[in-house]
Amino acid sequence: MSLHTPKEIAQLAIQAGVAKSRAPISILLILGFMAGAFIATGFLLDLHVINSLPADWGSFGGLLGAAVFPVGLILTVLAGGELLTGNMMTLPVAWFARRISFFSVARNWFWVTLANFLGSVAVAWFFGHMLGMTEGDYLKKTVAIASAKVHADFLHTFISGVGCNWLVCLAVWLAFASKDVVGKIFGMWFPVMAFVAISFQHVVANMFIIPAAIFAGQMSWAEYFPNFVAVFLGNAVGGAVFVGLAYFLAFRPAVEPASSVQ
């Protein structure tokens, strides 16, 4: 059979969480930087697709842009990367199974957040600002997207973050389901495309588009910070609760004795 059962996926997610919790900081920084850059590149591709489409295409144009965005998660999962939003599911589910400590979850999230930020901002600065890929003809669209994100109120931003990472972590869950590359790609593609088309907020994607607007002189870091907090918290709930906890409770994978917690 080319697919793992949902119960088997739960075990694979726990194993992934345990492995991630034990990764050295140097590895988290390298792979986290790569994942941040991959997600930013997917967003950059999305931006370039939608910017060149006629305005009267409306939401169909947005769908086309959303259809290319998943390249970021595909690269992260298949080439290798540490992505905060995915880790918001795999680390908690390992914690629920009493295989790791809460400190291990927090440690991973801290270093991966930092590394994802550096990778995303690097793409925003070098490709977006220095090469002009988010400025010039693309500036109006860049600022419009970033402004919509930072000007949403805290509650709406939080809920948007929940919806986003519910879908992103389902994409990761489906990647665990498949035993072949093509299946993993298709499993990830549609949930990610859905969250982008809906315009849900992704904390790592925002690490690219909002700094891109900041580097263009159209926004400030002070405007970005409340958005970061709200989206981070929403993404954490979406991944840890709506995917990690939900499937842990549904499938009840084996729980290790408390003495084995790392």
Side-chain angles (χ1 to χ4, degrees):
M1 186 176 178
S2 62
L3 292 175
H4 292 288
T5 66
K7 192 164 188 175
E8 290 171 338
I9 298 170
Q11 287 289 0
L12 291 172
I14 290 171
Q15 292 169 16
V18 172
K20 289 173 180 292
S21 75
R22 296 173 178 171
I25 293 173
S26 59
I27 299 299
L28 295 178
L29 290 175
I30 293 169
L31 295 182
F33 181 93
M34 298 291 281
F38 292 157
I39 296 299
T41 300
F43 208 151
L44 184 62
L45 178 58
D46 175 6
L47 177 67
H48 278 240
V49 169
I50 62 177
N51 189 70
S52 61
L53 297 176
D56 58 5
W57 282 29
S59 59
F60 180 68
L63 180 63
L64 292 180
V68 300
F69 189 102
V71 67
L73 185 63
I74 291 168
L75 287 171
T76 298
V77 172
L78 298 184
E82 286 285 334
L83 183 64
L84 175 63
T85 45
N87 288 8
M88 286 174 165
M89 180 271 289
T90 53
L91 273 293
V93 79
W95 179 50
F96 299 146
R98 299 169 62 189
R99 295 286 302 278
I100 64 174
S101 66
F102 182 77
F103 173 79
S104 296
V105 177
R107 169 186 174 274
N108 178 278
W109 286 9
F110 174 81
W111 291 111
V112 172
T113 299
L114 175 62
N116 285 175
F117 180 78
L118 293 174
S120 297
V121 168
V123 173
W125 175 259
F126 289 107
F127 297 167
H129 181 64
M130 294 190 69
L131 295 185
M133 291 183 173
T134 55
E135 300 179 17
D137 292 341
Y138 303 98
L139 182 60
K140 183 177 179 180
K141 184 65 71 174
T142 299
V143 173
I145 295 171
S147 294
K149 293 178 181 297
V150 300
H151 292 139
D153 65 68
F154 190 94
L155 180 60
H156 283 80
T157 302
F158 171 81
I159 295 172
S160 177
V162 173
C164 171
N165 215 28
W166 193 349
L167 287 168
V168 171
C169 288
L170 285 173
V172 175
W173 192 267
L174 293 179
F176 281 128
S178 179
K179 298 179 181 179
D180 62 78
V181 171
V182 174
K184 289 180 182 294
I185 290 173
F186 273 93
M188 289 184 282
W189 200 288
F190 292 99
V192 173
M193 183 174 70
F195 102 72
V196 178
I198 295 169
S199 297
F200 282 153
Q201 297 216 39
H202 186 279
V203 67
V204 180
N206 286 7
M207 292 174 182
F208 162 73
I209 195 66
I210 298 174
I214 293 172
F215 295 148
Q218 303 296 310
M219 207 164 286
S220 70
W221 292 105
E223 290 177 282
Y224 172 39
F225 183 71
N227 172 273
F228 171 81
V229 173
V231 179
F232 182 99
L233 294 175
N235 284 176
V237 171
V241 177
F242 284 83
V243 180
L245 181 59
Y247 284 131
F248 175 78
L249 294 175
F251 300 118
R252 293 289 183 178
V255 176
E256 295 290 326
S259 61
S260 69
V261 173
Q262 300 295 315

